[in-house]
Amino acid sequence: MNFLFTCGGTAGHINPALAVAGILRDRMPDCGILFVGANGKMETDLVPRAGYDIVTIEVTNIHRSLKPSEIAYNFRSLHNARQATKDARKIIEDFQPDVAIGTGGYVCYPVLKAAAQLGIPTVVHESNAVPGLTTELLEPFADRIMVGFESCRKHYKHPDKIVVTGTPVREDFFTLTREEAKKRLGVNDGRPLIVSFWGSLGAAGMNANMADMLVLEAAKEPFHHIHGAGKAGYPKVLSALREKGVDPAAHPALQVREYIYDMATVMRAADLVICRAGASTLSELTALGVPAILVPSPNVTNHHQEKNAALLGDHGAALVLPEEGLDGKKLFAAAAGILNDPQRMETMSQNMAALGIPDATKRIYDTVMTLLK
């Protein structure tokens, strides 16, 4: 059997596809797997690193603006989409997949549309709480649309096509218990662990707030805190701390890292996570049952992060704070208010876990296999 995957643009779109490809390869070692991505995008690096073949097509996104320059850009994107659909059709005819699977990104539209036109069963995975433009456009063509939460079903015109699978989380997130993870990190002295990190969009302002929060924590070190500042933010956070009279080396409970490479261990050990509201991160939080303070990025198309965060906030699993007007003092107060209230911590953890679907990869696999039958 042959399986065609299409995804791109962000790790949040690519990693679910890699997880499903992995279970297909484990269970059917002789199956063919081919990825289709967009020229020059992240998938052209991540997919080969994971050991899969990828071919690319030229595709550009659609801008939600009525400015003359943006309208002209969108006309070019529509032209590219027509050509990309032709290119995808040729790839599909050559590869002869038994099913086509899309997990997000603009490249999914021409590839899955072409697959549907050729009579290939098609499935779409939408990791956000509400469908993005690509998923909306593909809904008439797709045989199944897989979503993260039951409450997502109401946002679709064809609820009969919807399958609640959750979003895949890497298996290494579950290999350690929380106690084992804390011991491995050396944060098992009884103080709670805060983990914080921001995406690239709008990270500069949030890193500045985090530096102010770390200064407040440095006074008494009531918590352990691991903060991933990112490549650009790392030197700026360290500089800001030193300017405020805090030497990170003198405060071992407070760790500022350029990148959290051992994210599975760190997230498993966390008592509270402070982060954006990207769909993949939220799937990890729900799978692990970790309370969170979410600060959705205001720079994401169609306010996806705000809608993702609202879903967890409405279920009492997370405290949602708007970025506007936020500062380090408010973040510190919010974190302390949660960590110093055991009953609130337990309730948030239970509510978060209730939203989790740890076997999401298998559910997606089962959905794909159902179409093959």
Side-chain angles (χ1 to χ4, degrees):
M1 290 186 177
N2 288 338
F3 298 92
L4 186 79
F5 286 88
T6 180
C7 57
T10 69
H13 291 150
I14 300 163
N15 287 334
L18 293 175
V20 178
I23 194 172
L24 286 169
R25 179 169 280 180
D26 287 343
R27 299 190 179 190
M28 292 181 282
D30 296 329
C31 73
I33 295 176
L34 179 67
F35 279 74
V36 182
N39 289 335
K41 298 299 182 181
M42 186 183 294
E43 57 269 27
T44 60
D45 177 41
L46 295 184
V47 170
R49 283 176 182 269
Y52 300 99
D53 294 330
I54 185 170
V55 294
T56 61
I57 58 178
E58 186 65 40
V59 61
T60 48
N61 60 1
I62 298 292
H63 291 176
R64 295 173 182 261
S65 172
L66 297 178
K67 293 180 180 179
S69 60
E70 301 291 1
I71 293 174
Y73 174 90
N74 287 341
F75 273 117
R76 290 193 297 272
S77 292
L78 290 173
H79 172 76
N80 289 341
R82 286 192 290 269
Q83 184 58 48
T85 303
K86 294 178 182 178
D87 294 340
R89 190 182 184 97
K90 178 64 167 60
I91 292 168
I92 293 166
E93 289 173 337
D94 290 343
F95 183 62
Q96 291 293 302
D98 293 281
V99 64
I101 306 158
T103 58
Y106 288 100
V107 69
C108 290
Y109 176 71
V111 176
L112 294 188
K113 182 180 178 182
Q117 290 173 338
L118 289 168
I120 308 297
T122 61
V123 294
V124 178
H125 181 269
E126 175 58 76
S127 55
N128 286 301
V130 295
L133 178 61
T134 300
T135 302
E136 288 179 346
L137 293 173
L138 284 171
E139 185 174 358
F141 302 99
D143 294 288
R144 297 287 186 275
I145 297 175
M146 302 174 289
V147 298
F149 306 98
E150 179 61 40
S151 59
C152 299
R153 192 186 299 272
K154 64 186 178 185
H155 298 294
Y156 293 86
K157 298 177 181 177
H158 301 87
D160 54 301
K161 292 184 177 183
I162 305 304
V163 181
V164 181
T165 62
T167 297
V169 175
R170 298 193 330 244
E171 291 185 4
D172 56 344
F173 275 75
F174 309 104
T175 56
L176 299 175
T177 65
R178 176 169 291 174
E179 291 71 24
E180 290 169 339
K182 284 180 177 291
K183 184 176 180 179
R184 179 173 293 186
L185 295 171
V187 296
N188 56 335
D189 60 3
R191 285 180 288 176
L193 170 64
I194 297 173
V195 175
S196 58
F197 50 89
W198 310 108
S200 58
L201 295 174
M206 290 311 304
N207 271 329
N209 290 336
M210 193 55 59
D212 290 338
M213 178 177 174
L214 288 164
V215 170
L216 294 173
E217 291 176 276
K220 294 184 179 180
E221 296 190 25
F223 319 119
H224 289 281
H225 191 157
I226 298 174
H227 175 58
K231 185 175 182 179
Y234 179 69
K236 294 179 181 178
V237 171
L238 292 181
S239 177
L241 289 174
R242 294 190 180 103
E243 288 176 3
K244 298 173 188 297
V246 175
D247 179 4
H251 298 276
L254 310 179
Q255 299 180 39
V256 179
R257 303 187 188 181
E258 180 176 324
Y259 188 77
I260 303 176
Y261 289 100
D262 53 343
M263 183 62 84
T265 302
V266 170
M267 288 279 278
R268 193 72 178 100
D271 295 285
L272 178 69
V273 174
I274 306 175
C275 62
R276 293 298 198 192
S280 290
T281 298
L282 299 195
S283 68
E284 293 161 2
L285 291 172
T286 57
L288 296 173
V290 183
I293 295 174
L294 301 177
V295 186
S297 172
N299 304 314
V300 174
T301 301
N302 201 27
H303 305 286
H304 273 306
Q305 288 206 5
E306 294 172 14
K307 295 168 184 175
N308 291 343
L311 191 152
L312 269 64
D314 291 344
H315 280 80
L319 173 63
V320 181
L321 299 176
E323 181 172 334
E324 185 177 0
L326 197 59
D327 57 30
K329 184 180 293 186
K330 291 178 181 177
L331 281 169
F332 178 79
I338 294 171
L339 291 171
N340 292 327
D341 187 340
Q343 183 57 55
R344 186 181 182 189
M345 284 281 292
E346 179 63 23
T347 300
M348 290 180 72
S349 179
Q350 290 176 356
N351 291 340
M352 188 71 81
L355 292 169
I357 304 179
D359 63 341
T361 303
K362 181 181 181 300
R363 291 192 184 199
I364 295 175
Y365 169 84
D366 291 340
T367 301
V368 171
M369 298 309 293
T370 298
L371 282 180
L372 289 175
K373 293 176 183 178

